[in-house]
Amino acid sequence: MRKILIVGAGQAGLQLALGVQSKGYEVTLMSNRTPAEIRNGRVMSTQCMFHTALQHERDLGINSWEDQAPRIEGLGVSVTAPDGSRPIDWVGHLDAYAQSVDQRVKMAGWMETFAARGGRLVIHGVAVSDLDYLSRTYDLVLVAAGKGELVSMFGRDDSRSPYDSPQRALAVSYVHGLAPRPEHPDLHAVRLNLVPGAGELITIPALTTSGPCDILFWEGLPGGPMDVFDGVKEPAEILRTTLDLIRRYLPWEYDRARDVELTDAGSTLTGRFAPVVRNPVGELPSGGLVLGVADVVVANDPITGQGSNSAAKCAASYLDSITEHGDKLFDREWMQSTFDRYWDDAQHVTKWTNALLGPPPEHVLGLIGAAGQIPAVANRFANGFDDPADFEQYFFEPARTAAYLAKAASAQS
Amino acid sequence: MPRHASPVSDGVAAAALPTRGAGRRSARVRPYALTGGRTQFGHVLLVETFVAAIDGPEDRLEILSGDWAERVMPEMRAIVELCRRMRSVAEISALLRMPLGVVRVLLSDLADQGRIRVYGTGHAPGAPDHALLERVLSGLRRL
Ligand SMILES: Cc1cc2nc3c(=O)[nH]c(=O)nc-3n(C[C@H](O)[C@H](O)[C@H](O)COP(=O)(O)OP(=O)(O)OC[C@H]3O[C@@H](n4cnc5c(N)ncnc54)[C@H](O)[C@@H]3O)c2cc1C
C-alpha cells in the first residue's frame, strides 16, 4: 500500500486527500486547525468556482453543498465614470453555473468526511523539521499549505513572476441582506465593478455557515482610495469602510447594499500578497523531496477569482499523475513533470490574471465596451472564467481582438 | 502579532495566517473524553494531551509488518517503551528529541492500531486543570 502525506487542509490538500484515498492509497493529512476551529474561524476567500472546477468535486462525490449554494448563472462587468455614471454595464451568461461555498463550511466538512472514510488526520502546524523525518517514511509528501511559511522551501521562479510586491489591497465582507440588481432581479451573478485607476468591487452570491449570503470584495490599488483597510480590525468597521467606498464610487451598488449586515463574527478578511510562481520541488535538509501543490507553487491575485478553481484543477491533475505512476518511485523527475502538466493549463490563468492587474490597454477597453453591444462577446468573456485558456484566442493581441470583434459583430447583424 | 491581523499576507507577514497558538486556547475544542482515542475526526493530540501504552505481550509490536512499519519501527518502539507510564505529547517529543509533528503522526498510528490510549487533557474547554498542567510541566522539568 503506497503511503502519501499531505500537508494543508485547503481546497487542494483536501480534494487531493479525498481523491487518493478513493483510489486506495493510505493517506495522512496534516492540518494546523481542527474542523471546529476552521468552522468557527474567519473567512479565508471568496472562493467562487466555475463549472470545470465544480465538476472535479462532483467526480469525487464531494459536492455536498451543491443543492444549498446559490447557482451563479451570470458574470457582469460595470465600469464607473468620474460623474458616477456607468458607461459600461453588461452581464454575460455562463454556460454552466458557478458556486461559492464558504471554505469554512467546505473544508471542515471535507475533513470530517476524510476521517470518516478512514483517513488519518493529524492536527499539527507542520515545520520543515517534521517533514525532514516524515519524508523518509512516506512514498510521497505533498505540500498544499497555501501561503503559509512552508512556501520558503520552494524557490521563486523569477521568469514566471513579474510582480515582486502586492498589486491589490484586499478587503472582504460576507453579508446578509444584499438586494438583487433591479435590472436582473432573478439572476444570481458575479459583478465586477471597475473604478478605473483605483480598484474593483466584486460581489459574489455564496453559501456560508448561516446560509445563502453575498460577499462584498474590494480590490484596491496600493496607495489608492480603496487601500484604507490596513489596521482596521473590527469587522463592523471593515463593513462600514467597504460601504462608504461603495457609496462614493459605485452608487448603483450602494442602492442595493444599504441594509446589509455581516453574517457572523468571522465574516471579514483584509490583507495583501504578491502574486508568485515557485519551483515545484522542495528539498529538505536530509535530501528528501517534497512536491508543492496549488497556491504553494502558483499564487495569483484574486482579481480573476481563479485560486480555488486552480487548486481544484491542480489537485485533479496531480491525482491523475499519481495514479498513472503506479508503483514507481516518486522522484524529482516525476515531480517536475507532474507540475509541468498542471502548468500547461495554469500558465493561462497566471498570464490573464497578471494582465488584468495592470492598466487596461486600449484594445481591452474596446473589447469590454463591445461586450455591452454584442451579447456573444459578453458571454464568451464570462465563460473565460471557467476556461481562461480561451483568452489566448482574442484577449492579449490587439489584432486578434479586432478580428474577433469584427467577426462577432457581423455574426450579430 | 494579533491573530486577526492580515490573514491574507505575503511571506513577510505570513505568521499572521491562521495558526494554532496563543490567545486562542479557550476557543479550542478539547475532546477530553475520547473513547478508543478517536473523535469523529481523528485524534487531537495537544502538547498537554496524555497518552499511555496499552498493556500487552512484550512482543506485540512484532506483529507490525510491511514497509511503513519497518521504516518507523525504532521510533514506534521507543514511544511505546516510554509510554509504559502516562506521558504528555510534549514529554515524548522532548525525551526522544523528535519533532512534535512526527510524534503526533506516530502516536496517531499507534492509537489506530490500539497500541496506545489517548486520555485527553483531563479538563473541560476553557477550564484548565492545574494539577494536570503541573504534571506536564514537572515532567518536562525532569528532562
Ligand atoms: C480575498 C481572497 C479572495 C479570493 N477569491 C477567490 C475566488 O473568488 N475564486 C477562487 O477561485 N479563488 C479565490 N481566492 C483564492 C483561493 O482562496 C486560493 O487560491 C485557494 O484557497 C488555494 O487553495 P490551497 O488549497 O492551495 O491553499 P489554502 O486554501 O490556503 O489552504 C492551505 C491550508 O493549509 C494550512 N496550512 C498552512 N500552513 C500549514 C502548516 N505549516 N501545517 C499545516 N497546515 C498548514 C492552512 O491553514 C490552510 O488551511 C481568493 C483568495 C483571497 C485571499
Side-chain angles (χ1 to χ4, degrees):
Chain A
M1 177 70 59
R2 307 216 85 184
K3 289 190 69 98
I4 298 182
L5 176 71
I6 298 175
V7 179
Q11 176 73 38
L14 269 162
Q15 187 186 313
L16 200 42
L18 288 156
V20 286
Q21 182 184 52
S22 74
K23 303 283 183 195
Y25 292 76
E26 217 176 305
V27 195
T28 300
L29 177 65
M30 297 183 79
S31 164
N32 54 4
R33 292 187 296 164
T34 65
E37 286 172 332
I38 289 173
R39 205 176 267 123
N40 301 323
R42 64 173 37 218
V43 297
M44 295 168 272
S45 177
T46 66
Q47 73 269 312
C48 183
M49 292 175 65
F50 297 86
H51 176 72
T52 304
L54 294 177
Q55 191 57 42
H56 289 313
E57 297 183 351
R58 291 184 196 115
D59 290 345
L60 293 175
I62 54 175
N63 53 325
S64 317
W65 301 272
E66 180 155 4
D67 292 341
Q68 298 163 57
R71 298 185 172 189
I72 300 170
E73 315 266 9
L75 185 139
V77 174
S78 308
V79 180
T80 187
D83 63 359
S85 66
R86 261 184 288 183
I88 294 175
D89 188 37
W90 50 260
V91 63
H93 290 268
L94 295 168
D95 294 340
Y97 60 81
Q99 290 188 311
S100 167
V101 176
D102 187 341
Q103 288 186 344
R104 295 179 298 178
V105 173
K106 190 197 278 185
M107 301 318 150
W110 279 0
M111 277 169 88
E112 287 164 356
T113 303
F114 170 76
R117 291 179 182 176
R120 177 169 300 136
L121 177 61
V122 177
I123 305 300
H124 179 71
V126 178
V128 172
S129 54
D130 296 318
L131 294 182
D132 213 22
Y133 174 91
L134 293 169
S135 71
R136 276 179 278 141
T137 68
Y138 283 85
D139 297 302
L140 174 62
V141 176
L142 297 158
V143 179
K147 302 175 199 77
E149 292 147 62
L150 288 177
V151 294
S152 60
M153 286 197 298
F154 304 88
R156 176 191 155 97
D157 182 339
D158 289 324
S159 68
R160 289 169 173 168
S161 309
Y163 298 113
D164 52 17
S165 64
Q167 298 301 301
R168 292 290 188 277
L170 315 174
V172 171
S173 303
Y174 282 48
V175 297
H176 288 304
L178 186 74
R181 283 268 189 112
E183 66 272 31
H184 308 110
D186 299 319
L187 178 75
H188 285 303
V190 171
R191 299 288 180 166
L192 275 162
N193 297 280
L194 315 184
V195 186
E200 301 83 18
L201 174 80
I202 306 165
T203 69
I204 301 155
L207 178 74
T208 186
T209 48
S210 49
C213 69
D214 285 276
I215 306 174
L216 306 175
F217 175 21
W218 270 117
E219 288 241 339
L221 269 80
M226 286 96 197
D227 182 8
V228 289
F229 292 92
D230 277 2
V232 184
K233 298 270 182 307
E234 276 301 310
E237 208 185 326
I238 292 171
L239 177 60
R240 204 177 315 121
T241 307
T242 293
L243 292 174
D244 280 350
L245 290 168
I246 296 176
R247 188 176 52 213
R248 266 186 66 193
Y249 293 97
L250 305 164
W252 62 86
E253 290 294 38
Y254 187 71
D255 279 345
R256 63 186 186 120
R258 322 175 166 268
D259 297 325
V260 301
E261 285 173 26
L262 290 172
T263 58
D264 62 276
S267 55
T268 57
L269 174 74
T270 62
R272 66 184 76 207
F273 67 91
V276 63
V277 177
R278 297 176 190 278
N279 299 320
V281 183
E283 201 167 317
L284 293 158
S286 64
L289 300 178
V290 297
L291 175 61
V293 191
D295 263 19
V296 167
V297 283
V298 183
N300 297 311
D301 188 277
I303 191 168
T304 50
Q306 291 297 307
S308 46
N309 290 274
S310 295
K313 291 171 183 175
C314 184
S317 169
Y318 280 25
L319 176 61
D320 288 343
S321 293
I322 290 168
T323 53
E324 288 164 17
H325 202 55
D327 285 335
K328 286 173 279 187
L329 194 68
F330 294 113
D331 55 10
R332 183 187 290 273
E333 195 187 332
W334 175 84
M335 289 182 178
Q336 184 66 50
S337 67
T338 293
F339 173 77
D340 292 345
R341 181 175 176 181
Y342 165 60
W343 176 253
D344 236 20
D345 191 46
Q347 60 175 318
H348 303 296
V349 178
T350 296
K351 180 176 175 183
W352 168 55
T353 303
N354 286 338
L356 282 199
L357 289 171
E362 204 55 45
H363 74 280
V364 168
L365 284 177
L367 176 72
I368 295 173
Q373 268 73 60
I374 314 171
V377 175
N379 293 345
R380 185 166 183 183
F381 191 90
N383 285 292
F385 283 72
D386 179 47
D387 177 20
D390 186 47
F391 288 112
E392 289 291 344
Q393 307 304 318
Y394 69 99
F395 186 84
F396 299 104
E397 298 294 326
R400 285 191 171 211
T401 305
Y404 167 58
L405 287 181
K407 210 170 110 201
S410 69
Q412 178 166 260
S413 55
Chain B
M1 186 180 278
R3 185 182 154 85
H4 285 166
S6 303
V8 190
S9 56
D10 56 13
V12 184
L17 280 160
T19 47
R20 349 185 70 205
R24 284 274 302 183
R25 294 256 116 174
S26 58
R28 160 114 352 115
V29 177
R30 294 171 183 275
Y32 51 94
L34 308 183
T35 46
R38 227 163 204 268
T39 66
Q40 56 173 339
F41 54 82
H43 309 283
V44 177
L45 298 161
L46 306 177
V47 281
E48 68 268 35
T49 299
F50 282 98
V51 299
I54 291 170
D55 282 340
E58 206 65 359
D59 60 355
R60 264 191 73 178
L61 267 177
E62 305 297 348
I63 304 166
L64 276 179
S65 62
D67 223 18
W68 158 257
E70 272 152 36
R71 279 183 269 178
V72 298
M73 192 59 119
E75 287 84 355
M76 298 278 244
R77 219 189 271 282
I79 290 176
V80 172
E81 193 63 35
L82 203 62
C83 290
R84 285 185 193 283
R85 46 163 290 208
M86 225 192 264
R87 302 283 187 180
S88 72
V89 172
E91 260 182 292
I92 298 168
S93 165
L95 285 166
L96 297 179
R97 300 188 194 292
M98 213 185 272
L100 204 45
V102 177
V103 171
R104 286 183 162 131
V105 169
L106 298 184
L107 281 176
S108 294
D109 200 12
L110 287 166
D112 280 353
Q113 293 172 28
R115 278 162 225 285
I116 61 139
R117 178 169 289 136
V118 178
Y119 287 91
T121 59
H123 55 80
D129 179 326
H130 287 286
L132 273 159
L133 286 178
E134 209 33 59
R135 277 210 51 200
V136 176
L137 289 172
S138 64
L140 288 173
R141 272 188 223 111
R142 273 198 307 274
L143 302 180

